[in-house]
Amino acid sequence: MLNFDLVVVGGGNAFRVAHEIAETGASVALIEPGPLGGTCPHRGCIPSKLLLAHAARARAVREAERYGVKATLESLDIERMLRETHDYTDPTEDKLRSKLSDNVRLFREPAMFVDAKRLRVGDETLVAERVVIAAGARPRRFESGPLAKLDAWTSDDVLRAASFPGSVAVVGAGPTGVELAAMFEGLGIATTLIQRGPRVLKNEDEDLTERLGAALAERLDLRLGTEVRAQSSANGRVRLELDDDSAVEVERVVLAVGRVPNTDSLGLETTDVRLGEHGHVIVDEYLETHQSGVFAMGDIIGRDPYTHAAQAEARYLVAHLRGTKHEPYVAGPVPRVTYVEPPLAAVGRTERELDAAKIDYRSALAPFSNVVAGHAARDEHGACKLIAKPSGELLGASILATESPSLIHVVSLAMQCNADVRTLASSMYAHPSVSELLRDAVRKLAGQLE
């Protein structure tokens, strides 16, 4: 039996908790069967964005004629792109491991709770008064139906592949599915994106996702409002029959149908930790579970499934466990971005959410094509929507445009600082920049306020 001051289950963003608590002199057990760093640097954000950057360069050459530039794309060395991506991300494990002090003991086997204060890891039993659960989530696979037995890829497989097929069908048009489809399309791979619902990114603003769907449909085969009814394989190809009586034949199918929290193998039933409807760990305002002394953070709690949110939760837990922060955790406005072309960035609530909550609001939409930067980008689909209370308090924003992942932080910061629409409307915006899109939206919205 091994005693520690703290046990951390998961070496993704919770690595910071283990590392910084150990620096106080506490003894820490860090349990991570996979590579340190977790999903983001190895099978998520970082490799996908690196590959999307390659795809954007290739797409720019193919579409150069729109700017009066005659160019020919001779070939793409996709294997090199993948190799260089992995060469960038793989050293994360060694970099993080080198930071661990002697106060941290790293365990490489899965953990299972024996009771509230004891965990079994391989042949060892670990005991601690405080535990942080940060075991993350994994890509969801179908347990039944036509795709249950198909040898399909998930994002994990895509982002660790040594080569890509010549054609793919991506099933699911949430953020992961849309990004993977855009990446494949940009790299010249024949791509079909299949979505059961009527639009992509169903949780985002309806007007802007309609516009994004139109932009995607110009570059790839977008199938909305349909799902796979049957599948068959022959001669290295997969045939998907859809319930709209159409069919798709590709070399590889990629499932992007959500993620499942890794709570099913932790033995949490031996503790008072409670799970939500979809298996996520329930935590209070201090990120503590129903089991005293057991905290949770990251994807496994199902709040904000973004690296920047998990980083904020880790910073809070470090301070809270050190005893230097006694206030509840407040995430504040959490930006969310889908990195396609054009990228969709958002913060706050959508009109659909406000309607469901019966909250009175005003909204305004400004098209990107009305400003110089939009014309320069040849972007006919981009737009910005802002939402506020009749008093002017900002409630949310969605921006579909180049540079939107950066521009959204203007609104996020304004919401954090309680600046209202009138403050943004009275600000000066550099001409001719993308920020003029935000200017148009805030001034249009300001005109509707009480």
Side-chain angles (χ1 to χ4, degrees):
M1 191 173 296
L2 303 173
N3 291 283
F4 295 91
D5 296 313
L6 174 69
V7 171
V8 177
V9 183
N13 284 291
F15 176 92
R16 177 174 189 160
V17 180
H19 173 57
E20 295 193 14
I21 293 299
E23 287 187 328
T24 67
S27 60
V28 178
L30 175 59
I31 304 168
E32 177 51 76
L36 291 174
T39 297
C40 179
H42 299 288
R43 305 177 303 279
C45 326
I46 295 177
S48 65
K49 303 315 171 285
L50 293 176
L51 290 168
L52 278 164
H54 286 291
R57 302 305 184 276
R59 186 183 298 112
V61 176
R62 291 200 305 271
E63 298 181 356
E65 179 64 30
R66 299 171 65 193
Y67 294 87
V69 178
K70 296 186 182 297
T72 302
L73 185 60
E74 293 184 1
S75 65
L76 290 173
D77 191 344
I78 294 178
E79 287 75 16
R80 174 187 166 185
M81 297 175 191
L82 289 164
R83 189 169 58 251
E84 290 180 352
T85 296
H86 300 154
D87 286 347
Y88 180 84
T89 59
D90 287 350
T92 303
E93 157 81 21
D94 291 338
K95 289 177 182 177
L96 291 177
R97 190 164 186 168
S98 69
K99 292 182 177 181
L100 292 176
S101 71
D102 293 338
N103 289 342
V104 180
R105 181 167 173 182
L106 180 61
F107 293 85
R108 288 304 204 177
E109 295 181 85
M112 178 172 286
F113 279 86
V114 177
D115 56 38
K117 305 298 180 183
R118 293 185 300 157
L119 296 94
R120 192 74 178 170
V121 182
D123 296 329
E124 302 283 5
T125 299
L126 282 52
V127 181
E129 287 300 311
R130 299 188 297 183
V131 179
V132 173
I133 303 172
R138 63 186 183 274
R140 175 175 172 254
R141 288 186 178 274
F142 290 107
E143 297 181 359
S144 61
L147 295 177
K149 296 182 179 180
L150 180 65
D151 182 24
W153 277 0
T154 67
S155 56
D156 284 1
D157 303 300
V158 172
L159 299 174
R160 295 304 306 173
S163 62
F164 284 157
S167 58
V168 296
V170 179
V171 179
T176 299
V178 169
E179 288 189 353
L180 291 179
M183 178 195 71
F184 286 129
E185 171 274 320
L187 294 176
I189 295 167
T191 305
T192 301
L193 178 58
I194 303 168
Q195 169 69 358
R196 180 174 59 182
R199 58 193 180 87
V200 301
L201 302 178
K202 65 179 182 179
N203 294 326
E204 296 298 347
D205 178 82
E206 292 187 13
D207 290 326
L208 269 65
T209 53
E210 289 283 352
R211 288 169 170 264
L212 177 57
L216 290 170
E218 293 176 356
R219 294 176 172 140
L220 53 78
D221 183 6
L222 180 61
R223 308 287 185 95
L224 297 175
T226 188
E227 57 186 324
V228 178
R229 181 175 59 195
Q231 63 88 12
S232 57
S233 301
N235 301 319
R237 297 182 68 82
V238 180
R239 178 181 172 83
L240 301 179
E241 296 180 14
L242 308 182
D243 64 6
D244 62 2
D245 294 328
S246 66
V248 177
E249 189 171 304
V250 294
E251 293 180 27
R252 175 67 69 175
V253 174
V254 177
L255 298 181
V257 289
R259 295 180 69 81
V260 180
N262 292 321
T263 50
D264 51 352
S265 60
L266 293 176
L268 294 174
E269 64 276 5
T270 65
T271 74
D272 288 334
V273 174
R274 298 181 190 175
L275 304 181
E277 179 184 359
H278 301 291
H280 295 97
V281 175
I282 298 174
V283 295
D284 63 14
E285 65 270 28
Y286 299 96
L287 299 183
E288 190 169 14
T289 69
H290 286 83
Q291 178 67 62
S292 178
V294 177
F295 301 81
M297 57 157 284
D299 287 357
I300 206 164
I301 68 174
R303 286 186 173 180
D304 299 302
Y306 315 108
T307 294
H308 44 281
Q311 290 169 342
E313 292 161 3
R315 289 194 301 271
Y316 172 83
L317 279 179
V318 168
H320 186 64
L321 294 173
R322 281 178 170 176
T324 59
K325 191 172 185 66
H326 305 288
E327 301 86 1
Y329 171 72
V330 179
V334 180
R336 50 192 189 273
V337 181
T338 302
Y339 292 87
V340 289
E341 194 170 319
L344 177 61
V347 68
R349 304 171 82 174
T350 65
E351 290 175 307
R352 185 179 62 260
E353 292 170 329
L354 294 169
D355 288 337
K358 294 181 169 50
I359 295 174
D360 191 17
Y361 65 88
R362 304 289 183 270
S363 67
L365 185 144
F368 194 25
S369 57
N370 281 2
V371 300
V372 175
H375 176 72
R378 302 296 193 271
D379 188 346
E380 299 174 356
H381 303 289
C384 173
K385 179 178 284 187
L386 285 178
I387 309 171
K389 290 183 177 179
S391 63
E393 178 186 343
L394 284 161
L395 296 174
S398 299
I399 307 174
L400 180 68
T402 180
E403 300 181 30
S404 67
S406 298
L407 188 59
I408 196 66
H409 290 86
V410 175
V411 183
S412 178
L413 181 59
M415 294 173 68
Q416 182 79 21
C417 298
N418 298 314
D420 68 8
V421 173
R422 296 178 186 87
T423 300
L424 288 180
S426 64
S427 299
M428 187 180 296
Y429 296 81
H431 174 77
S433 70
V434 177
S435 68
E436 290 183 309
L437 170 61
L438 178 60
R439 175 205 64 191
D440 286 359
V442 296
R443 290 180 181 174
K444 187 175 182 180
L445 183 56
Q448 302 180 33
L449 302 180
E450 295 174 348

